[in-house]
Amino acid sequence: MANYHSIYLHNTIKMSIYVNTKSSFPFKTRSNLSRSSRACTAVVAQNHSYWAAIEADIDTYLKKSIAIRSPETVFEPMHHLTFAAPRTAASAICVAACELVGGERSQAIATASAIHIMHAAAYAHEHLPLTDRPRPNSKPAIQHKYGPNIELLTGDGMASFGFELLAGSIRSDHPNPERILRVIIEISRASGSEGIIDGFYREKEIVDQHSRFDFIEYLCRKKYGEMHACAAASGAILAGGAEEEIQKLRNFGHYAGTLIGLLHKKIDTPQIQNVIGKLKDLALKELEGFHGKNVELLCSLVADASLCEAELEV
């Protein structure tokens, strides 16, 4: 049974959905805000600030790590494609999960940055110019400064560089380098054939909102759920979390990522909305037993859909 703190957080975050007029969840906005609702509005603003601060720290680390240097023919397109890709909540979840189980933000920044690089590499591959993949509109997904040959090769190089970044975070003063090795394995699985790559393959089976629902859900689990699960578990691993904590956060990330994927599909059917509601409840349940402000912050990620708006369709 959930403790009082968990129940309070669950109800508080549910209320924040009503006061967020940008929410994609199927709830109506209340016209008259009570005092508690106004307080929840302030909480939502604080939550946005928290996630924005994490993204700023990751940006700073990435700009330093992928500075344009010699050979420019390699690092210039790598730098461009890293920052041209839309944000993914997975990177921020990695940092938040690390802090939740008692770690420092600095312990997770390299891993969070590597997760974004892996995402950006996959995004570059999927959005190569001259592709025959159908698009919802004629506007290009990203600004293509380079030809498909350069973007294809650069995407390959970015994936390798992401692992190099992780390995480089092991220093002589690192007390537990085996945690980095475990994280490398986690990211390899989520960004490879067990995750994103499998999702890319199955996506061809999804034509429109009339496609079989199990295909749509499977795609979202692979393209979004696996990487978010990996990110949350990695954050807990880096902080030295207990195995139970790692698994709970892995489950949370999986539910949250799948939910985000379904929202981005923008398929408004009763079946989809029902599953979104169930995923939200399952994600919140995984956070029961954790304590501290970060519980509320992670809850906000699944309860406040506008926090996911910056993460565009992959």
PDB file of all heavy atoms in Angstrom, residues 110-134:
ATOM      1  N   ALA A 110      27.816  12.812 -17.749  1.00  0.00           N
ATOM      2  CA  ALA A 110      28.466  12.174 -18.897  1.00  0.00           C
ATOM      3  C   ALA A 110      27.551  11.129 -19.524  1.00  0.00           C
ATOM      4  O   ALA A 110      27.428  11.040 -20.753  1.00  0.00           O
ATOM      5  CB  ALA A 110      29.786  11.539 -18.463  1.00  0.00           C
ATOM      6  N   THR A 111      26.895  10.328 -18.686  1.00  0.00           N
ATOM      7  CA  THR A 111      25.986   9.299 -19.198  1.00  0.00           C
ATOM      8  C   THR A 111      24.773   9.935 -19.867  1.00  0.00           C
ATOM      9  O   THR A 111      24.346   9.492 -20.941  1.00  0.00           O
ATOM     10  CB  THR A 111      25.531   8.373 -18.056  1.00  0.00           C
ATOM     11  OG1 THR A 111      26.682   7.719 -17.503  1.00  0.00           O
ATOM     12  CG2 THR A 111      24.548   7.327 -18.552  1.00  0.00           C
ATOM     13  N   ALA A 112      24.208  10.965 -19.251  1.00  0.00           N
ATOM     14  CA  ALA A 112      23.059  11.651 -19.846  1.00  0.00           C
ATOM     15  C   ALA A 112      23.432  12.243 -21.199  1.00  0.00           C
ATOM     16  O   ALA A 112      22.647  12.203 -22.153  1.00  0.00           O
ATOM     17  CB  ALA A 112      22.558  12.744 -18.903  1.00  0.00           C
ATOM     18  N   SER A 113      24.645  12.777 -21.305  1.00  0.00           N
ATOM     19  CA  SER A 113      25.106  13.348 -22.573  1.00  0.00           C
ATOM     20  C   SER A 113      25.282  12.250 -23.620  1.00  0.00           C
ATOM     21  O   SER A 113      24.928  12.433 -24.793  1.00  0.00           O
ATOM     22  CB  SER A 113      26.428  14.084 -22.356  1.00  0.00           C
ATOM     23  OG  SER A 113      26.268  15.153 -21.434  1.00  0.00           O
ATOM     24  N   ALA A 114      25.829  11.110 -23.198  1.00  0.00           N
ATOM     25  CA  ALA A 114      26.003   9.989 -24.127  1.00  0.00           C
ATOM     26  C   ALA A 114      24.651   9.483 -24.624  1.00  0.00           C
ATOM     27  O   ALA A 114      24.503   9.115 -25.794  1.00  0.00           O
ATOM     28  CB  ALA A 114      26.769   8.860 -23.440  1.00  0.00           C
ATOM     29  N   ILE A 115      23.658   9.470 -23.736  1.00  0.00           N
ATOM     30  CA  ILE A 115      22.310   9.043 -24.131  1.00  0.00           C
ATOM     31  C   ILE A 115      21.759   9.980 -25.197  1.00  0.00           C
ATOM     32  O   ILE A 115      21.147   9.544 -26.179  1.00  0.00           O
ATOM     33  CB  ILE A 115      21.387   8.979 -22.907  1.00  0.00           C
ATOM     34  CG1 ILE A 115      21.757   7.760 -22.045  1.00  0.00           C
ATOM     35  CG2 ILE A 115      19.913   8.914 -23.319  1.00  0.00           C
ATOM     36  CD1 ILE A 115      21.040   7.712 -20.707  1.00  0.00           C
ATOM     37  N   HIS A 116      21.981  11.275 -25.021  1.00  0.00           N
ATOM     38  CA  HIS A 116      21.504  12.213 -26.053  1.00  0.00           C
ATOM     39  C   HIS A 116      22.247  11.988 -27.365  1.00  0.00           C
ATOM     40  O   HIS A 116      21.644  12.067 -28.448  1.00  0.00           O
ATOM     41  CB  HIS A 116      21.674  13.661 -25.609  1.00  0.00           C
ATOM     42  CG  HIS A 116      21.271  14.629 -26.686  1.00  0.00           C
ATOM     43  ND1 HIS A 116      19.962  14.881 -27.013  1.00  0.00           N
ATOM     44  CD2 HIS A 116      22.024  15.355 -27.571  1.00  0.00           C
ATOM     45  CE1 HIS A 116      19.898  15.727 -28.032  1.00  0.00           C
ATOM     46  NE2 HIS A 116      21.137  16.028 -28.376  1.00  0.00           N
ATOM     47  N   ILE A 117      23.542  11.734 -27.303  1.00  0.00           N
ATOM     48  CA  ILE A 117      24.307  11.491 -28.527  1.00  0.00           C
ATOM     49  C   ILE A 117      23.771  10.268 -29.259  1.00  0.00           C
ATOM     50  O   ILE A 117      23.629  10.271 -30.493  1.00  0.00           O
ATOM     51  CB  ILE A 117      25.807  11.318 -28.199  1.00  0.00           C
ATOM     52  CG1 ILE A 117      26.403  12.657 -27.747  1.00  0.00           C
ATOM     53  CG2 ILE A 117      26.574  10.794 -29.409  1.00  0.00           C
ATOM     54  CD1 ILE A 117      27.824  12.558 -27.238  1.00  0.00           C
ATOM     55  N   MET A 118      23.468   9.200 -28.512  1.00  0.00           N
ATOM     56  CA  MET A 118      22.907   7.992 -29.137  1.00  0.00           C
ATOM     57  C   MET A 118      21.568   8.307 -29.804  1.00  0.00           C
ATOM     58  O   MET A 118      21.276   7.856 -30.915  1.00  0.00           O
ATOM     59  CB  MET A 118      22.717   6.897 -28.091  1.00  0.00           C
ATOM     60  CG  MET A 118      23.997   6.427 -27.454  1.00  0.00           C
ATOM     61  SD  MET A 118      25.128   5.716 -28.667  1.00  0.00           S
ATOM     62  CE  MET A 118      26.460   5.185 -27.604  1.00  0.00           C
ATOM     63  N   HIS A 119      20.759   9.077 -29.109  1.00  0.00           N
ATOM     64  CA  HIS A 119      19.466   9.499 -29.663  1.00  0.00           C
ATOM     65  C   HIS A 119      19.671  10.338 -30.918  1.00  0.00           C
ATOM     66  O   HIS A 119      19.005  10.140 -31.945  1.00  0.00           O
ATOM     67  CB  HIS A 119      18.702  10.292 -28.609  1.00  0.00           C
ATOM     68  CG  HIS A 119      17.683  11.236 -29.152  1.00  0.00           C
ATOM     69  ND1 HIS A 119      16.495  10.809 -29.720  1.00  0.00           N
ATOM     70  CD2 HIS A 119      17.665  12.594 -29.225  1.00  0.00           C
ATOM     71  CE1 HIS A 119      15.789  11.851 -30.118  1.00  0.00           C
ATOM     72  NE2 HIS A 119      16.471  12.941 -29.840  1.00  0.00           N
ATOM     73  N   ALA A 120      20.628  11.264 -30.867  1.00  0.00           N
ATOM     74  CA  ALA A 120      20.886  12.145 -32.007  1.00  0.00           C
ATOM     75  C   ALA A 120      21.420  11.350 -33.202  1.00  0.00           C
ATOM     76  O   ALA A 120      21.082  11.646 -34.361  1.00  0.00           O
ATOM     77  CB  ALA A 120      21.881  13.237 -31.612  1.00  0.00           C
ATOM     78  N   ALA A 121      22.254  10.339 -32.939  1.00  0.00           N
ATOM     79  CA  ALA A 121      22.781   9.504 -34.019  1.00  0.00           C
ATOM     80  C   ALA A 121      21.653   8.741 -34.709  1.00  0.00           C
ATOM     81  O   ALA A 121      21.590   8.672 -35.942  1.00  0.00           O
ATOM     82  CB  ALA A 121      23.813   8.530 -33.464  1.00  0.00           C
ATOM     83  N   ALA A 122      20.752   8.173 -33.900  1.00  0.00           N
ATOM     84  CA  ALA A 122      19.613   7.448 -34.466  1.00  0.00           C
ATOM     85  C   ALA A 122      18.703   8.402 -35.242  1.00  0.00           C
ATOM     86  O   ALA A 122      18.187   8.064 -36.315  1.00  0.00           O
ATOM     87  CB  ALA A 122      18.831   6.757 -33.352  1.00  0.00           C
ATOM     88  N   TYR A 123      18.519   9.598 -34.705  1.00  0.00           N
ATOM     89  CA  TYR A 123      17.659  10.590 -35.354  1.00  0.00           C
ATOM     90  C   TYR A 123      18.251  11.010 -36.708  1.00  0.00           C
ATOM     91  O   TYR A 123      17.531  11.152 -37.699  1.00  0.00           O
ATOM     92  CB  TYR A 123      17.504  11.803 -34.443  1.00  0.00           C
ATOM     93  CG  TYR A 123      16.390  12.734 -34.849  1.00  0.00           C
ATOM     94  CD1 TYR A 123      15.083  12.506 -34.422  1.00  0.00           C
ATOM     95  CD2 TYR A 123      16.642  13.841 -35.657  1.00  0.00           C
ATOM     96  CE1 TYR A 123      14.050  13.355 -34.793  1.00  0.00           C
ATOM     97  CE2 TYR A 123      15.613  14.696 -36.033  1.00  0.00           C
ATOM     98  CZ  TYR A 123      14.320  14.442 -35.603  1.00  0.00           C
ATOM     99  OH  TYR A 123      13.315  15.282 -35.980  1.00  0.00           O
ATOM    100  N   ALA A 124      19.575  11.194 -36.735  1.00  0.00           N
ATOM    101  CA  ALA A 124      20.233  11.572 -37.990  1.00  0.00           C
ATOM    102  C   ALA A 124      20.069  10.472 -39.032  1.00  0.00           C
ATOM    103  O   ALA A 124      19.795  10.745 -40.205  1.00  0.00           O
ATOM    104  CB  ALA A 124      21.713  11.848 -37.736  1.00  0.00           C
ATOM    105  N   HIS A 125      20.212   9.222 -38.613  1.00  0.00           N
ATOM    106  CA  HIS A 125      20.063   8.108 -39.548  1.00  0.00           C
ATOM    107  C   HIS A 125      18.640   8.017 -40.094  1.00  0.00           C
ATOM    108  O   HIS A 125      18.433   7.744 -41.275  1.00  0.00           O
ATOM    109  CB  HIS A 125      20.427   6.796 -38.852  1.00  0.00           C
ATOM    110  CG  HIS A 125      21.900   6.547 -38.804  1.00  0.00           C
ATOM    111  ND1 HIS A 125      22.464   5.586 -38.004  1.00  0.00           N
ATOM    112  CD2 HIS A 125      22.933   7.152 -39.463  1.00  0.00           C
ATOM    113  CE1 HIS A 125      23.781   5.589 -38.177  1.00  0.00           C
ATOM    114  NE2 HIS A 125      24.088   6.536 -39.052  1.00  0.00           N
ATOM    115  N   GLU A 126      17.677   8.257 -39.219  1.00  0.00           N
ATOM    116  CA  GLU A 126      16.292   8.116 -39.657  1.00  0.00           C
ATOM    117  C   GLU A 126      15.841   9.269 -40.539  1.00  0.00           C
ATOM    118  O   GLU A 126      14.929   9.118 -41.349  1.00  0.00           O
ATOM    119  CB  GLU A 126      15.365   7.997 -38.453  1.00  0.00           C
ATOM    120  CG  GLU A 126      13.951   7.605 -38.843  1.00  0.00           C
ATOM    121  CD  GLU A 126      13.033   7.448 -37.651  1.00  0.00           C
ATOM    122  OE1 GLU A 126      13.356   7.975 -36.589  1.00  0.00           O
ATOM    123  OE2 GLU A 126      11.984   6.809 -37.804  1.00  0.00           O
ATOM    124  N   HIS A 127      16.473  10.431 -40.387  1.00  0.00           N
ATOM    125  CA  HIS A 127      16.041  11.609 -41.142  1.00  0.00           C
ATOM    126  C   HIS A 127      17.067  12.030 -42.190  1.00  0.00           C
ATOM    127  O   HIS A 127      17.238  13.214 -42.466  1.00  0.00           O
ATOM    128  CB  HIS A 127      15.767  12.765 -40.176  1.00  0.00           C
ATOM    129  CG  HIS A 127      14.599  12.522 -39.276  1.00  0.00           C
ATOM    130  ND1 HIS A 127      14.701  11.786 -38.106  1.00  0.00           N
ATOM    131  CD2 HIS A 127      13.298  12.879 -39.379  1.00  0.00           C
ATOM    132  CE1 HIS A 127      13.512  11.720 -37.534  1.00  0.00           C
ATOM    133  NE2 HIS A 127      12.647  12.370 -38.280  1.00  0.00           N
ATOM    134  N   LEU A 128      17.726  11.063 -42.767  1.00  0.00           N
ATOM    135  CA  LEU A 128      18.675  11.381 -43.831  1.00  0.00           C
ATOM    136  C   LEU A 128      17.956  12.056 -45.000  1.00  0.00           C
ATOM    137  O   LEU A 128      16.835  11.692 -45.346  1.00  0.00           O
ATOM    138  CB  LEU A 128      19.353  10.103 -44.341  1.00  0.00           C
ATOM    139  CG  LEU A 128      20.354   9.422 -43.403  1.00  0.00           C
ATOM    140  CD1 LEU A 128      20.780   8.093 -44.008  1.00  0.00           C
ATOM    141  CD2 LEU A 128      21.562  10.318 -43.182  1.00  0.00           C
ATOM    142  N   PRO A 129      18.584  13.044 -45.623  1.00  0.00           N
ATOM    143  CA  PRO A 129      17.968  13.641 -46.830  1.00  0.00           C
ATOM    144  C   PRO A 129      17.872  12.603 -47.934  1.00  0.00           C
ATOM    145  O   PRO A 129      18.635  11.642 -47.974  1.00  0.00           O
ATOM    146  CB  PRO A 129      18.941  14.771 -47.181  1.00  0.00           C
ATOM    147  CG  PRO A 129      20.226  14.406 -46.523  1.00  0.00           C
ATOM    148  CD  PRO A 129      19.873  13.661 -45.289  1.00  0.00           C
ATOM    149  N   LEU A 130      16.910  12.779 -48.815  1.00  0.00           N
ATOM    150  CA  LEU A 130      16.638  11.877 -49.937  1.00  0.00           C
ATOM    151  C   LEU A 130      16.006  10.566 -49.503  1.00  0.00           C
ATOM    152  O   LEU A 130      15.886   9.637 -50.296  1.00  0.00           O
ATOM    153  CB  LEU A 130      17.921  11.568 -50.725  1.00  0.00           C
ATOM    154  CG  LEU A 130      18.723  12.779 -51.209  1.00  0.00           C
ATOM    155  CD1 LEU A 130      19.952  12.330 -51.994  1.00  0.00           C
ATOM    156  CD2 LEU A 130      17.857  13.683 -52.066  1.00  0.00           C
ATOM    157  N   THR A 131      15.582  10.493 -48.246  1.00  0.00           N
ATOM    158  CA  THR A 131      14.932   9.276 -47.790  1.00  0.00           C
ATOM    159  C   THR A 131      13.563   9.143 -48.418  1.00  0.00           C
ATOM    160  O   THR A 131      12.917  10.132 -48.761  1.00  0.00           O
ATOM    161  CB  THR A 131      14.787   9.266 -46.256  1.00  0.00           C
ATOM    162  OG1 THR A 131      14.145   8.049 -45.872  1.00  0.00           O
ATOM    163  CG2 THR A 131      13.935  10.424 -45.763  1.00  0.00           C
ATOM    164  N   ASP A 132      13.077   7.907 -48.567  1.00  0.00           N
ATOM    165  CA  ASP A 132      11.746   7.680 -49.140  1.00  0.00           C
ATOM    166  C   ASP A 132      10.699   7.478 -48.045  1.00  0.00           C
ATOM    167  O   ASP A 132       9.564   7.119 -48.326  1.00  0.00           O
ATOM    168  CB  ASP A 132      11.749   6.465 -50.064  1.00  0.00           C
ATOM    169  CG  ASP A 132      12.176   5.189 -49.332  1.00  0.00           C
ATOM    170  OD1 ASP A 132      12.554   5.285 -48.149  1.00  0.00           O
ATOM    171  OD2 ASP A 132      12.128   4.115 -49.951  1.00  0.00           O
ATOM    172  N   ARG A 133      11.083   7.751 -46.772  1.00  0.00           N
ATOM    173  CA  ARG A 133      10.113   7.614 -45.686  1.00  0.00           C
ATOM    174  C   ARG A 133       9.069   8.712 -45.793  1.00  0.00           C
ATOM    175  O   ARG A 133       9.403   9.877 -46.003  1.00  0.00           O
ATOM    176  CB  ARG A 133      10.804   7.698 -44.322  1.00  0.00           C
ATOM    177  CG  ARG A 133      11.713   6.518 -44.018  1.00  0.00           C
ATOM    178  CD  ARG A 133      12.526   6.780 -42.772  1.00  0.00           C
ATOM    179  NE  ARG A 133      11.663   6.993 -41.623  1.00  0.00           N
ATOM    180  CZ  ARG A 133      11.190   6.015 -40.864  1.00  0.00           C
ATOM    181  NH1 ARG A 133      11.491   4.758 -41.151  1.00  0.00           N
ATOM    182  NH2 ARG A 133      10.419   6.262 -39.830  1.00  0.00           N
ATOM    183  N   PRO A 134       7.787   8.407 -45.632  1.00  0.00           N
ATOM    184  CA  PRO A 134       6.747   9.433 -45.704  1.00  0.00           C
ATOM    185  C   PRO A 134       6.837  10.392 -44.529  1.00  0.00           C
ATOM    186  O   PRO A 134       7.200  10.002 -43.425  1.00  0.00           O
ATOM    187  CB  PRO A 134       5.455   8.614 -45.650  1.00  0.00           C
ATOM    188  CG  PRO A 134       5.824   7.357 -44.940  1.00  0.00           C
ATOM    189  CD  PRO A 134       7.234   7.059 -45.363  1.00  0.00           C
TER     190      PRO A 134
END
